[in-house]
Amino acid sequence: MSAVESSRLPVATPREVRRAVLELLVREKRTVALVCVLHLAAAAAGAALPVMLGRVVDGIGDGWDTARVDAVCLALFGCVAAQMTLVRLGRRLGHRFGDRSSARIREQALERVLRLPMRTVERAGTGDLSTRTTGDVDTVAGLLRSTGPEVVAAVIEVLVVVAAAFFVDPLLALLLAVVLPPLLLAARAYVRRARPAFLAERAALSDLTEALTASATGARTVAAHRLEERRAAVGHRLAEERYVRQRRIIGLESWFLPTLDLAYTLPVSAILCAGGLAALGGGASAGAVVACAMLAYRLSGPLDRIMYALTEFQEAAAALARVEGVGAVEPEARTARTAGSDVALRRVTFGYGAAPDILHGLDLRVRPGERLAVVGPSGAGKSTVAWLIAGIERPRGGTVSIGGVPSADVAPEDLRRTVVLVTQEHHVFAASLRDNLALARDDADDEALLDVLRRVGATWFEDLPDGLDTVLGEGHHPLALAQTQQLALARVLLADPDVVILDEATVGLDTRSAGAAEAALATALAGRTLITITHRLQAAQAADRIAVVEKGRVTELGSHTELVASRGTYAALWETWSGGRVRRRQE
Ligand code: ADP
């Protein structure tokens, strides 16, 4: 199954993840190289300490005078100061690399999401997309910013310490390797168990949080239905589950951490014992033993940092695989240009994902400038028809064309100019009213913006504290549902496309406002095609033609008068609706 067909977004392979990491490093190769050089120099200055102390031990045995010992000690201070400064610089530069790389990943993630085909977004669901662009990106960014550069520094330090030990005494240096077997075994066992344990603990925590929040936010319902004990029991059970999972992590750490400590002492003890014996037998100098033992001791710091970062690296790799996966979705090759605004659906069959067909050979033609109302029972496929015309979905069989070309092939900028679909879902961006409107046309001046607001009856804008500059959205100036719908209609007027599809777009407005908004739109869009999916038969009555959609087919098509005369489904709907209206008036 191709990525587009599957409802879940793809996940990048380990190879693709490695390539992505490599790309990040190559992009910042200068900074990366400088960070490595700084840490290399810092590690060399640090490793010089035990080496020089070893020399002092041997020197004292060889009869060095105090002035010489003092000079070496002074050099030692110099090394400590140099190490501190270089580490600081290296860290700062490492953070800068992390900041820039994570900013790039964030931007790239956003760009990729924006480039996703609409139907992929619809099918993936906002949950998967938003975790990938927030939580997953944060995990990767966290690693790039702090743990990543720290581990690089730690690896460099380990290498330098080992090299210094070989420089001092190659045979003793070989003993450093005794740290490896327990370390590798412990790491293998820990990583294998830690990841599922951490994931399970996180899952348990989110279950618990969700249950507690649900109980708290639904407190009234809980009280009304006397559900207190049941909700408390759910809370207890989930808290218990989390406790068990936390204990598992503590259990894992309780053997992992002491094993690490033990592993670090092994090379020190081995060097002291074997080196001590060798020194007594004249095979090694006392200074070399001291230096190598101190170097072995120095290994524990960086090794510890590497071990601790193992699970974080695994998590970040998994997160990066999900972030990169978004980029694996093939962008659609939409390059066709429309010639005109004729809308034609011929023998269209369609179903969502792997589900069976819901449109069964639907035929419909809408002439340029025509006002078509689409009515029919809920679930008949009306919105699906709108999605197909707007080029969001592609038919399984038959053709859906606009301006003579398949609507799903029309180039995005052309499609935007040709067709606009307005549904009940209107998004208000946390931005000024001006920016919210300018989405539809960024070259519109204030006069044009105010004009469209007036035309859709959005007189409320006159009361806004900062006029067009008022920031809208949650936490700022929230809009009522009806207001967001007017905003959406105002955007349509600004965009001024050839074809407008209103899918129950005025459902949140009261009957009078809905009628007024639709009438305003009809006037404003004179000469344009207007397809209105509606359950308000008054709107249908005003249309040039009405299409009745039932069970995925157009079952009736004609003007209001024709359909009422034909005594079919529409006539029955009209009778019920107008009868109800008469009754409502009489009441
Ligand atoms: P209408 O607009 O006439 O109410 P729709 O076109 O919304 O009908 O829905 C037609 C059928 O397709 C319904 O059975 C609905 O459950 C199903 N459907 C609609 N949208 C989706 C979707 N995104 N994924 C899966 N099934 C869907």
Side-chain angles (χ1 to χ4, degrees), residues 352 358 377-384:
Y352 287 94
I358 45 156
S378 174
K382 302 183 297 293
S383 298
T384 307

Side-chain angles (χ1 to χ4, degrees), residues 137-155:
V137 169
D138 282 346
T139 308
V140 178
L143 183 101
L144 285 172
R145 197 174 183 278
S146 52
T147 318
E150 268 170 33
V151 167
V152 169
V155 170

Side-chain angles (χ1 to χ4, degrees), residues 202-214:
R202 271 197 202 183
L205 176 63
S206 42
D207 286 349
L208 177 63
T209 316
E210 207 165 306
L212 293 182
T213 319

Side-chain angles (χ1 to χ4, degrees), residues 241-301:
E241 225 158 85
R242 169 144 195 254
Y243 169 68
V244 169
R245 306 220 159 138
Q246 267 182 323
R247 266 186 41 180
R248 166 110 186 93
I249 291 175
I250 294 169
L252 274 175
E253 285 180 346
S254 67
W255 65 257
F256 182 60
L257 301 183
T259 312
L260 290 187
D261 286 339
L262 186 74
Y264 303 142
T265 57
L266 282 182
V268 182
S269 333
I271 287 170
L272 283 177
C273 293
L277 288 174
L280 287 177
S285 74
V289 178
V290 168
C292 284
M294 285 177 77
L295 284 168
Y297 183 70
R298 281 187 86 91
L299 275 183
S300 64

Side-chain angles (χ1 to χ4, degrees), residues 122 352-353 355 358 376-385 387 393 503 533 549:
E122 287 293 340
Y352 287 94
I358 45 156
S378 174
K382 302 183 297 293
S383 298
T384 307
V385 167
W387 280 36
E393 290 286 358
D503 184 359
I533 298 173
V549 176

